[in-house]
Amino acid sequence: MSELVKDAARLMDMLPDEDKNFAYEFIKKLVLAWDPDFTKVTAEEAERIAEAEASGFVDEKDIDWDHLESALQ
């Protein structure tokens, strides 16, 4: 989490509950306007995805979903 986000959270925490709810709804609207389908990734998420793919990540199409039990034995 970036320092900016931590500072924003600390500032929000100082607000009365009614204003916290307003700020939350406003931020939620901003995020939905930026990514209405939740398909974009942040820089942190992109880094985590790259690390996962480089660490022996298995593509789901390579998994035999119908015979998982036999693979565990």
Side-chain angles (χ1 to χ4, degrees), residues 19-70:
D19 292 334
K20 283 180 191 175
N21 291 334
F22 172 80
Y24 170 77
E25 291 300 324
F26 180 74
I27 292 168
K28 190 164 88 173
K29 285 184 180 188
L30 285 174
V31 170
L32 288 172
W34 173 71
D35 187 9
D37 300 333
F38 294 101
T39 55
K40 296 180 183 178
V41 295
T42 64
E44 181 182 331
E45 290 169 330
E47 184 178 320
R48 289 172 50 202
I49 290 168
E51 288 173 5
E53 289 174 343
S55 68
F57 179 83
V58 177
D59 194 311
E60 72 172 318
K61 67 182 176 208
D62 296 331
I63 299 172
D64 184 357
W65 293 102
D66 296 323
H67 301 97
L68 287 178
E69 292 82 21
S70 62

